[in-house]
Amino acid sequence: MWEYTDKVQQHFLEPKNVGEIENPSGTGDVGSLACGDALKLTLKIDENDIIVDAKFKTFGCASAIASSSVLTEIIKGMSVDEAAKVTNEDIAEALGGLPKEKMHCSVMGREALEAAIADYRGLVPPMAEGELVCECFGVTDLEILRAVKESNLRSVEEITNFTKAGGGCGKCEDRLRELLKQGSNQILDIPMVKAQPKRMTVLQKIKKIEEVLDLEIRPALRKDGGDIELVDVDGDFVTVSLLGACKSCQKSQTTIKDYVEKKLRELVLESLIVEEEN
Amino acid sequence: MGAANERVVYMDNNATTKVAPEVFEAMKPYFTELYGNPSSMHTFGGAVSESIKKARRQVANLLGTEPEEITFTSCGTESDSTAILSALRTYPDKRHIITTRVEHPAVKSLCENLEMVTGNKYRVTRLKVDSEGLLDLEEYRAALSEDTAIVSVMWANNETGVVYPVEEMARMAKKRDILFHTDAVQAVGKVPINLGELDIDFLSLSGHKLHAPKGVGVLYTRKGTFFVPFLTGGHQEHGRRGGTENVSSIIGLGRACELAAEKMEEENVRVKALRDKLEQGLLKSIPSSMRNGHETNRLPNTANISFEFVEGEAILLHMNRYNICASSGSACTSGSLEPSHVLRAMGVPFTAAHGSIRFSLSVYNTEEEVDFVLEKMPAIIASLREMSPFWEKKG
Ligand SMILES: Cc1ncc(COP(=O)(O)O)c(C=O)c1O
């Protein structure tokens, strides 16, 4: 059993600011179902740049929920500039500390905050742009370098605790070791970039995909005694699983690429890549 | 976390069980009066040796086998390692092991280590399971080869309770002269076992899963099977396992086996009915919930249920407020970042794997407890779903 502080337990059992602000000034949407935690943070910011309200929805364990809850408490009443300086260490500290294996929950909080502020300012956070290092959890080199710098990480294990990178198959361990070296030597300065056409959030994407599955794709597959299930959406990668007659069908790959992917690209987003779960 | 009521509703019996009062009574004298070493020459120690003999007979009776085929070990994990390593040492030229993707870490990690530490000297085939957790015997048949030193397949899975056709699989291995081991840690005491009629060469069990204490296990080795000890030392256990016997626990395990035989029917009738009531009640009262594992091909005491779009650790900690004990296959509860390898092998979607809860009952559970859990769970899941960003799209 994890050793959670009283503060963590309190924020987990009676979380503050659960929900979603309507017409938010900024939205931060991070994590995914596959990763086991996800956070949607919505902010209401007044004309003086003060965060007057913050709400969250979190899928995850006790420390993920507690981190989200305490984050909303920290930033309410702050100016956007002040909030931009909140670190994951601040979140962990406000909770009286987190077990080291759970530090990634506080990092998720900071990432959501950053994404929400960027959204408010019409910028996109650059972290997701880097080179993908950990395929299991979708973590980029920039995210890792940043964690190494900010939290003074000293080992690959610590990188995993803070960012989850390397926590799956472990194939990226060598690369993590390199980044560890690089991160502790280099001064990191990653500027925010101006927003390109505004991206769809993961949640918007999932919603839209489910809609198309329900209205277009499922009815067609069911005619042949098959079915389809959405397993995960990670960036542009959409993982699905074919069920029923489709599952054993020799042509399942063709069904996915020529039919499902085509439809989703047409009706949701041109850049989607659909893969079958294996 | 503050407990709202003092009574513990224990539904985590696949993790460990309480020592039966009868077992504890049987053990007591071996801590206080009968503390002799069974290897000693004096009658004082010799009496203890007689008691161990009796325990060995009690275990053999439950398994339908002979006392000399029973070796006491320190745990299920030791029994698993002993069996597999003994086979590999018996056949140093054979480099292939067949197992499944859903084994307990006791077998899973051993096989991984055998691959890694030996620089892939050993080849491991891990049989697939389908979405209900069942094996494909054709895949198994095709995997059996001249090079196979041992097959190790669990009798019943600890997470889902799914029962595997080890009788038939052992027969198939026998036809090819291949040794067969089964990790029956979860099966013993819950399903009838009669080894005398079967082609199983090794079987592991663990005391603490059947109301004996933790830290005692058994390895059954069929008469005539080559055996290479894992722990060498003194001549205890007929030279099969060095180390002074854990006397009191062995006595306890013997008594527990006797009790298990007496309660087998209750386990399969009353406990099963409680499990079914719990499972059906939860599936009915909580939307987007589903059973993991085959419905009938399953231990009578285990229900593994996924509550989609919420995370298992969070569920468990809410249950903990009511002193309801269970387990989860979620990533967060394990300390690793990935959800249960068993559920992943079954292709349970991530949406469900992270929110899986295993309830495992025993003869000590009551209907009142099941009702209590049925009363509390819907609100727990609903409150977490209200918080989940993935829920709204279904809600
Ligand atoms: C299927 C299975 N095998 C092996 C073990 C390990 O038993 P022990 O804890 O006695 O080493 C367990 C218990 O967790 C189990 O469920």
Side-chain angles (χ1 to χ4, degrees), chain B residues 75-77 80 104 106 154 158 183 185-186 206 208-209:
Chain B
C75 58
T77 304
D80 287 341
H104 185 272
M154 65 196 334
N158 45 305
D183 175 341
V185 168
Q186 293 293 345
S206 176
H208 72 107
K209 311 283 181 177

Side-chain angles (χ1 to χ4, degrees), chain A residues 1-2 4 9 12-15 18 20 32-36 38 40 56-63 65 102 104 136-137 160 164 167-168 203 206-207 210 229 231-232 247 277, chain B residues 1-2 130-131 290 308-311 313-315 317-318 320-321 331-339 344 347-351 354-355 384-390 392-394:
Chain A
M1 188 155 187
W2 302 109
Y4 286 134
Q9 293 181 30
F12 164 62
L13 292 174
E14 281 156 33
V18 174
E20 209 175 321
S32 86
L33 269 172
C35 296
K40 180 176 190 175
F56 79 91
K57 284 202 158 185
T58 292
F59 163 77
C61 57
S63 47
I65 290 169
K102 296 281 187 177
H104 58 84
C136 299
F137 291 105
T160 307
K164 291 188 161 195
L203 280 178
I206 294 180
K207 246 192 202 140
E210 284 280 12
E229 181 154 8
V231 178
D232 190 31
K247 194 171 153 188
E277 195 202 24
Chain B
M1 236 164 256
D130 67 11
S131 61
M290 61 213 211
E308 283 193 285
F309 308 107
V310 285
E311 196 279 329
E313 182 201 284
I315 303 172
L317 291 180
H318 272 288
N320 192 51
R321 290 172 96 185
C332 289
T333 52
S334 62
S336 86
L337 292 171
E338 303 220 307
R344 297 298 301 137
V348 175
F350 280 114
T351 51
H354 283 295
L384 287 169
R385 277 180 177 167
E386 205 175 299
M387 234 183 277
S388 166
F390 299 114
E392 51 178 1
K393 69 182 171 135
K394 296 263 172 182

